[in-house]
Each structure stands twice: as structure tokens, then as C-alpha cells.
Amino acid sequence: MSDLPSTILVDDIGTLVTNDPALGRGAVGEIENAALVVESGRIAWTGPSDRAPAADARIDAAGRCVLPGFVDSHSHIVFAGDRSREFAARMSGRPYSAGGIRTTVAATREASDAELLDGARRLVREAAAQGTTTLEVKSGYGLTVADEERSLAVAERVTDEVTFLGAHVVAPEYADDPQGYVDLVTGPMLEACAPHARWIDVFCERGAFDEEASRRVLTAGTARGLLPRVHGNQLGHGPGVRLAVELEAASVDHCTYLAPEDVDALAQAAKRTEPTVATLLPGVDFSTRQPYPDARALVDAGAVVALASDCNPGSCFTSSLAFCVAVAVRDMGLTPDEAVWAATAGGARALRRTDVGHLAPGARADLTLLEAPNHLYLAYRPGVPQVAAVWKDGELVAGRP
């Protein structure tokens, strides 16, 4: 930890997004001409700039926007290898399928622990420079007991939000015995990997795991103390959403193909104290030319929606949640306010976190300063670098104010 002043005043904020309607206007709790005070890595005060209390140090926002650090609740950044030629082939007309994951599996197994850690750290720095302060990281490119365990050991060195995804696809060695692979995932692999993870996930999809196998994986994980997440309804209609809601998973991710009953299930789940969040991954649909999810239908029905990057080497190699916000506004029916909320507070809900994704007193001082007067610019100026500085727990981690 570096030596920091006891209190820091961030002053002359053009627009402050708090994500707390009790503090400001609308769902994002917007305060204009605002200030905030950081104390011991937490938010101590927010309000109008002309009412700001004194502090030991001052940062001049110079009329720019401050919002919570992005909370990216879905990524796969522990991997080796390159799939750029696969992307090019897909752009030339080859359809996306789950099978390409095996290319990354081969490269990841051959990589050293140091190489995997270097790659993960590079992507964490890249995400931080674009405003991401909380990042979930999955395994899933090892698919042996030893390779999944070491992937998770790498992941827990770069984040507190670690997910065991041994059930990404069936390992190539088990191509003729998928049931045997599920036995491995729910037995020796789970025992080795559970101590390194908070979450368990499964790719409930054609070409990966059916409903019965997915249920086995998730129930085994919860019995071992892990919390469930689901990849669901990415490649077509299927049972993923309803299974996630039934098992009270924290989120079901992708949700590209939704039947009315799926939307209704997510809306009903939103009424629970801990909802099942519909985590949408617009970068994937952009990079695979899949249809975009109907985010508007989800929001209008009352479902809780998050946006995440799904940063991975195959279907979506971006770490930019600003890009995801812009696509969600342009192509998925979200308003700019809804998209920013989904990439911050929504991501926090998908990780069942109350300390991030908002800037109310008591929250972690995870802040992003934009080179813009308000958060609307994230969708208004897509593709333009707009992050001036990023703080995590009150410490500057990227850029400069």
C-alpha cells in the first residue's frame, strides 16, 4: 500500500454517477456540480461541490464526469494461444460453435504458469486502463484436474472473483465418454479446484453440456460451497435460463435467445433478495455476428440486467466495457443510463457484491474519471479513449487526473 492522505476530496465534478437514487437524479443517482470525499479507501461523502467538507488532499475533476469503476462479471483471461485466424474465418462466413474452445485448451496446457500469469496480468491492466476495477475470472481452458487447478491458482492472483469452469466443454480425451468427463468435473476436479474459487459455472449449450449434466455440475459445486453461475441460451433456445433461475444462480450469462417464459422467469427471479441476473455480453454477439439479446424486453419485464465483456481469445477478445455500453445502447435497446448502470451496479449484483458498483458512502472508492462532462459520452463517442484516471480502493491504478 502506498502512503495516502487520510481524506481526499475529488472536487469540481461535472456529473457524478452514484447509482443511488437517494443521492441524485434518476436510476443512476446523478449529481451535477458535485464532489466526493474518500477516506481509508471508501466513499465518506458525496454531494454538491459547494457543500463539500474539507479534506487532507484535493483532486480537481475540472468539470469532468466521475462514475463507479466498471464491474466486469464475466471474463476468461487465463489462457494461452491466438485465435485471430479463427475470427477472420468467422467474418468470412464460418459459423461460431463451442468447439473452438479446444484450440485454446491445447495452447493453455502447453503454457507455463508464468506465461499464464503474465497474460492475465496484462489483460487486468488493460481492463483497468479502460475503467474496470472489479473483474471476475474463470478457468475452463485446462480441462484436466492439474490444468484447471493451476488456472484457478493464476486467477486468484489477479482477482477475488474466481470461477471454476471445468464444465466449459468436454475435454478432448473424453470425446467418446462425456458422462465420464462430468464424473471427473464433479469429483476429483471439483475437489482440487474448489479451494481456489468462489463460483462454479457451466456452459449449458448444445455442443457443451445438456440440462442433466449442467444440473449435476452445479449441484455438486454448491454442495462443495461454491455459488452457481450459468452460461446459457447463447447459441439457441435451451434450458440454461430456467435452470439458472431454478437453482438460484447469481447470473445467467449470454441470454441471446430468450423465449417469453425465459424473460418471465428472470423477471420473477428479480423479486428475490438475491436475484438471478441476466448478464448480457454484447461484445460476443458483435464478434460472432449472432443476434443481440433483447435487453429492452428484459428491463421492461423487470429483470435485473448486467453488462460484461466476456473477454476471451475466441468469441470476444475485448476488455472494454465502454465498448459494451455503446453496443448495448446502439443495438440492444438500453438507454445510456441503463447501460452504464448495467456495467457497474448490474455487474455488482451479478457478483452479489454490495461494496462496488456504486458511490454511496461506505462503498469502495473505485472511481473512473472520464474525459467527458457526463456518462452519456460512453455511448455518444464510441471507440474514443475517454478514461482519464482510475482509482481502486482510493488508490490511483491507471491514468492521471
Side-chain angles (χ1 to χ4, degrees), residues 84-101:
S84 56
R85 295 190 183 280
E86 176 190 318
F87 170 80
R90 193 162 61 242
M91 292 302 99
S92 299
R94 191 175 79 189
Y96 175 74
S97 70
I101 292 167

Side-chain angles (χ1 to χ4, degrees), residues 10 23 55 57-58 92 216 267 305 325 358 376 389 392:
V10 183
L23 297 175
R58 177 178 180 269
S92 299
R216 276 193 63 198
V305 170
V325 165
H358 65 106
L376 306 179
K392 183 173 175 62

